Amino acid sequence: MKPKLLLRATTGLLLCGFAAFSQSFNNFPVTTQKPPLHGKHWMGITGKPLAATAGTIIFSKGGNAVDASCAMLAATCTMWDVLSWGGETQALIYNPKTKKVIALNAMGVAPTGATADFFKNKGMKYPPEYGPLAATTPGTPGGLMTMLAEYGTMSLKEVLAPAMQMAEGYPIEAQTANSIERGKDQIKKWPYPTKVFLPHLGQKREAPDAGEIFVQKDLRATLQKLVDTEQLALKNGKNRKEAIYAAYDRFYKGDIAKEIARGCQEQGGLITEQDMANWKVKIEEPLMTNYKGIEVYKMQQWTQGPVMLQALNMLENLDLKGMGYNSSRYVHALYQVMNLVFADRDFYYGDPAFAPEEPMKGLLSKEYAKERLKQVNWERNDAKALPGDPYPFEGKKNPFTEQIRNWGNFQASLNRNANGLDEKFMEEFTAGTTSVEAADEEGWVVSITPSGGWVPACIAGNTGVGLSQRMQSFVLDARENPFNVVEPGKRPRVTLTPSLAMKDGKPFLSFAKQAGDEQDQLLLQFFLNVVEFGMTVQEATEAPSFKTLQMYASFGEHEKDPGGLILNQSMPDWTRKELSRMGYKLSYQPRTSGPINAIYFDWQHGSFWGGSSNHGEDYGFGW
């Protein structure tokens, strides 16, 4: 590439001049580091190339997008792609037969004994970040089997085959191997993960080497039990769906559940056999807003997903394109809008199955968005923004008015130590996961953001199943968030947020990303990159983004960095100076875009465009 073109690419100037919704990559010099993916029959993208290959195997055998998604999900769990089998899964699925988007809630719940007083009596401000006391009940196995049974076409044996081969031994990649080595002191606190993760115990490097064949015998045996149960049920005359649910019951009510509970409790955790048996996957109605004729779907308020819908409701009242892509005005506008919607998230979001009832009708009201927009300071950053009052927009009186007035003072009383780009703070803020995106020519579309059980995970007994660490997303004091106080059977308010957009009654975009509290703020920018600035899906995944650190992190010490703004290194000096003048504390990263994975549906040409950002190992295949 000529120097002149390189300069134009890195400043982002080439990315703004194309008609909205056109995917015109070949009309100008290549500016992305990864090529776009193309497919006519199917497409699958996820967090690791090997896991994407698992999806390709299933597609090539005639599976649909749901079958392939399940195979990719199983493979990423087996590869510890910042998650494990004991984590949580949430998915948006477009069903071409009903022409509806459905939401699959496979988030685990707080176990028996997990109360605010339990953790407070241990001197904790929040449930812990690591270990068995951080664990909710496993959700991913139930989510995978429910998805497959209800919307797939293949057997559990077929879909789990790639993951089972990997459990027998696969060449572990450097990213995970080095993560194990960094976390080995934590891992050694518990006997079962020590056995799995540290094959060279006592040597200088105790984790596997990059490229070493990583074997997980216990996990392989657990997956085999599921397949054996399914196959026996089929032999006894059960149909495909019934046989998969027989395997589901063995995991949650049989010997696997018994060993998970025993192994968890042996290491100091709370999960009981009854907790396992009582847990169930929920199939829910997603939440949706319409942005300039595009329907954008998100999970319910037990995730942070609705913040993107709230933000879009506010931003549709502004001339974003007229501001200019990544101008100081544009960055300030999005930052301040996110400032307000994340304050709403931090106070109002929680598990809708528990009282009090979240005011989602008000929060997602277009009128509330206009009223909230009036609160934006267009000249400087507002570091003390409070949650709004959505109750009048659903005809009710806010019972928390006084609490909200004192909210900022209460948050300050927690004596958090916000450290800007301190390594631990950023690790907590961007706690990882993966994403799975898939589509097929029949019309099935799947967007998943699974997570939980990342290294250094505590493994549940001899199952090979790494336990979730999602309990840390609860709060212990109702003054912080009355909707998200920990109690048994409750789902924590999580960051996990798959996305699906429809236009003219057809799928338009399927997109998701990893990295904790970054997710919806970067997915919002990705979406606007496509819709407002006409970027191709690959350009939009790689385009320089920015990150606000002003909301409270959902992990660790739940800190925030008021005025903290991470910019891409390509941001020009005059924009940096203007943002500094507006009260922002600037930091810089060479890549700020992801990792985002996305599929664009090109109805004009009858094909898929896939995008996978240059910010990770994520990759995909199409055909």
Side-chain angles (χ1 to χ4, degrees), residues 335 339 381-383 416-422 425-426 429 547-553 558-566 583-587:
Y335 192 107
N339 189 18
N381 178 48
D382 178 6
R416 297 188 179 101
N417 296 309
N419 297 311
L421 287 181
D422 171 84
F425 172 67
M426 287 307 300
F429 196 86
K547 307 174 190 180
T548 167
L549 302 177
Q550 193 152 291
M551 83 283 283
Y552 288 101
H558 293 235
E559 297 173 342
K560 76 171 180 179
D561 182 16
L565 172 60
I566 301 176
Y584 293 108
K585 297 184 295 183
L586 305 183
S587 303

Side-chain angles (χ1 to χ4, degrees), residues 303-315 333-349 360 363-365 368-369 372-373 375-376 385-388 407 493 520-521 524 548 550-552:
T303 75
Q304 70 169 333
V307 298
M308 181 172 166
L309 307 183
Q310 286 189 245
L312 289 172
N313 284 344
M314 294 174 69
L315 292 169
L334 264 64
Y335 192 107
Q336 294 308 306
V337 165
M338 291 191 288
N339 189 18
L340 295 172
V341 300
F342 277 108
D344 285 346
R345 179 203 75 169
D346 290 341
F347 186 83
Y348 287 116
Y349 288 19
M360 297 312 297
L363 287 168
L364 293 177
S365 160
Y368 174 69
R372 203 77 165 114
L373 198 61
Q375 300 170 30
V376 171
L386 296 176
W407 188 66
R493 196 280 297 152
D520 270 306
Q521 52 176 309
L524 172 67
T548 167
Q550 193 152 291
M551 83 283 283
Y552 288 101

Side-chain angles (χ1 to χ4, degrees), residues 400-417:
F400 304 107
T401 302
E402 188 63 27
Q403 187 171 331
I404 289 172
R405 189 176 294 118
N406 296 319
W407 188 66
N409 293 331
F410 170 74
Q411 295 282 15
S413 76
L414 293 173
N415 295 318
R416 297 188 179 101
N417 296 309

